[in-house]
PDB file of all heavy atoms in Angstrom:
ATOM      1  N   PHE B 392      18.172  27.418  -0.104  1.00 96.00           N
ATOM      2  CA  PHE B 392      17.915  25.968  -0.124  1.00 96.00           C
ATOM      3  C   PHE B 392      17.830  25.479  -1.563  1.00 96.00           C
ATOM      4  O   PHE B 392      18.457  24.470  -1.935  1.00 96.00           O
ATOM      5  CB  PHE B 392      16.597  25.709   0.621  1.00 96.00           C
ATOM      6  CG  PHE B 392      16.144  24.276   0.645  1.00 96.00           C
ATOM      7  CD1 PHE B 392      16.794  23.350   1.440  1.00 96.00           C
ATOM      8  CD2 PHE B 392      15.054  23.863  -0.108  1.00 96.00           C
ATOM      9  CE1 PHE B 392      16.366  22.027   1.483  1.00 96.00           C
ATOM     10  CE2 PHE B 392      14.620  22.546  -0.066  1.00 96.00           C
ATOM     11  CZ  PHE B 392      15.281  21.627   0.729  1.00 96.00           C
ATOM     12  N   ILE B 393      17.084  26.174  -2.385  1.00 96.00           N
ATOM     13  CA  ILE B 393      16.936  25.776  -3.775  1.00 96.00           C
ATOM     14  C   ILE B 393      18.255  25.869  -4.519  1.00 96.00           C
ATOM     15  O   ILE B 393      18.635  24.965  -5.279  1.00 96.00           O
ATOM     16  CB  ILE B 393      15.861  26.639  -4.464  1.00 96.00           C
ATOM     17  CG1 ILE B 393      14.480  26.310  -3.898  1.00 96.00           C
ATOM     18  CG2 ILE B 393      15.894  26.440  -5.977  1.00 96.00           C
ATOM     19  CD1 ILE B 393      13.416  27.336  -4.253  1.00 96.00           C
ATOM     20  N   ASN B 394      18.985  26.945  -4.277  1.00 96.00           N
ATOM     21  CA  ASN B 394      20.260  27.125  -4.986  1.00 96.00           C
ATOM     22  C   ASN B 394      21.262  26.029  -4.639  1.00 96.00           C
ATOM     23  O   ASN B 394      21.929  25.489  -5.518  1.00 96.00           O
ATOM     24  CB  ASN B 394      20.839  28.501  -4.698  1.00 96.00           C
ATOM     25  CG  ASN B 394      20.036  29.609  -5.392  1.00 96.00           C
ATOM     26  OD1 ASN B 394      19.273  29.334  -6.324  1.00 96.00           O
ATOM     27  ND2 ASN B 394      20.189  30.848  -4.946  1.00 96.00           N
ATOM     28  N   ILE B 395      21.344  25.685  -3.368  1.00 96.00           N
ATOM     29  CA  ILE B 395      22.262  24.622  -2.987  1.00 96.00           C
ATOM     30  C   ILE B 395      21.816  23.295  -3.589  1.00 96.00           C
ATOM     31  O   ILE B 395      22.632  22.513  -4.089  1.00 96.00           O
ATOM     32  CB  ILE B 395      22.364  24.522  -1.446  1.00 96.00           C
ATOM     33  CG1 ILE B 395      23.000  25.787  -0.874  1.00 96.00           C
ATOM     34  CG2 ILE B 395      23.178  23.287  -1.037  1.00 96.00           C
ATOM     35  CD1 ILE B 395      24.435  26.054  -1.325  1.00 96.00           C
ATOM     36  N   ASN B 396      20.524  23.033  -3.564  1.00 97.00           N
ATOM     37  CA  ASN B 396      20.017  21.790  -4.140  1.00 97.00           C
ATOM     38  C   ASN B 396      20.196  21.719  -5.660  1.00 97.00           C
ATOM     39  O   ASN B 396      20.272  20.637  -6.222  1.00 97.00           O
ATOM     40  CB  ASN B 396      18.529  21.591  -3.797  1.00 97.00           C
ATOM     41  CG  ASN B 396      18.347  20.847  -2.489  1.00 97.00           C
ATOM     42  OD1 ASN B 396      18.697  19.676  -2.378  1.00 97.00           O
ATOM     43  ND2 ASN B 396      17.807  21.513  -1.486  1.00 97.00           N
ATOM     44  N   SER B 397      20.257  22.875  -6.309  1.00 97.00           N
ATOM     45  CA  SER B 397      20.359  22.860  -7.764  1.00 97.00           C
ATOM     46  C   SER B 397      21.790  22.854  -8.254  1.00 97.00           C
ATOM     47  O   SER B 397      22.054  22.595  -9.431  1.00 97.00           O
ATOM     48  CB  SER B 397      19.620  24.060  -8.347  1.00 97.00           C
ATOM     49  OG  SER B 397      20.312  25.249  -8.017  1.00 97.00           O
ATOM     50  N   LEU B 398      22.732  23.110  -7.353  1.00 96.00           N
ATOM     51  CA  LEU B 398      24.143  23.187  -7.741  1.00 96.00           C
ATOM     52  C   LEU B 398      24.564  21.920  -8.482  1.00 96.00           C
ATOM     53  O   LEU B 398      25.164  21.972  -9.575  1.00 96.00           O
ATOM     54  CB  LEU B 398      24.994  23.399  -6.483  1.00 96.00           C
ATOM     55  CG  LEU B 398      26.476  23.655  -6.653  1.00 96.00           C
ATOM     56  CD1 LEU B 398      26.976  24.611  -5.558  1.00 96.00           C
ATOM     57  CD2 LEU B 398      27.290  22.368  -6.596  1.00 96.00           C
ATOM     58  N   ARG B 399      24.246  20.792  -7.899  1.00 96.00           N
ATOM     59  CA  ARG B 399      24.616  19.494  -8.471  1.00 96.00           C
ATOM     60  C   ARG B 399      23.958  19.289  -9.837  1.00 96.00           C
ATOM     61  O   ARG B 399      24.572  18.769 -10.771  1.00 96.00           O
ATOM     62  CB  ARG B 399      24.182  18.389  -7.503  1.00 96.00           C
ATOM     63  CG  ARG B 399      24.521  16.987  -7.903  1.00 96.00           C
ATOM     64  CD  ARG B 399      24.105  16.020  -6.804  1.00 96.00           C
ATOM     65  NE  ARG B 399      22.706  16.158  -6.461  1.00 96.00           N
ATOM     66  CZ  ARG B 399      21.718  15.549  -7.092  1.00 96.00           C
ATOM     67  NH1 ARG B 399      21.971  14.761  -8.129  1.00 96.00           N
ATOM     68  NH2 ARG B 399      20.469  15.717  -6.713  1.00 96.00           N
ATOM     69  N   LEU B 400      22.720  19.737 -10.007  1.00 97.00           N
ATOM     70  CA  LEU B 400      21.992  19.583 -11.273  1.00 97.00           C
ATOM     71  C   LEU B 400      22.611  20.489 -12.344  1.00 97.00           C
ATOM     72  O   LEU B 400      22.723  20.099 -13.500  1.00 97.00           O
ATOM     73  CB  LEU B 400      20.515  19.932 -11.078  1.00 97.00           C
ATOM     74  CG  LEU B 400      19.787  19.244  -9.916  1.00 97.00           C
ATOM     75  CD1 LEU B 400      18.332  19.694  -9.865  1.00 97.00           C
ATOM     76  CD2 LEU B 400      19.888  17.733 -10.016  1.00 97.00           C
ATOM     77  N   LYS B 401      23.025  21.674 -11.944  1.00 96.00           N
ATOM     78  CA  LYS B 401      23.662  22.583 -12.881  1.00 96.00           C
ATOM     79  C   LYS B 401      24.988  21.998 -13.360  1.00 96.00           C
ATOM     80  O   LYS B 401      25.319  22.070 -14.547  1.00 96.00           O
ATOM     81  CB  LYS B 401      23.894  23.960 -12.242  1.00 96.00           C
ATOM     82  CG  LYS B 401      22.623  24.758 -11.981  1.00 96.00           C
ATOM     83  CD  LYS B 401      22.955  26.020 -11.207  1.00 96.00           C
ATOM     84  CE  LYS B 401      21.728  26.908 -11.019  1.00 96.00           C
ATOM     85  NZ  LYS B 401      22.011  28.036 -10.109  1.00 96.00           N
TER      86      LYS B 401
END
Side-chain angles (χ1 to χ4, degrees):
Chain B
F392 177 73
I393 292 166
N394 288 342
I395 295 297
N396 271 294
S397 69
L398 186 147
R399 182 176 55 85
L400 309 180
K401 291 173 175 172

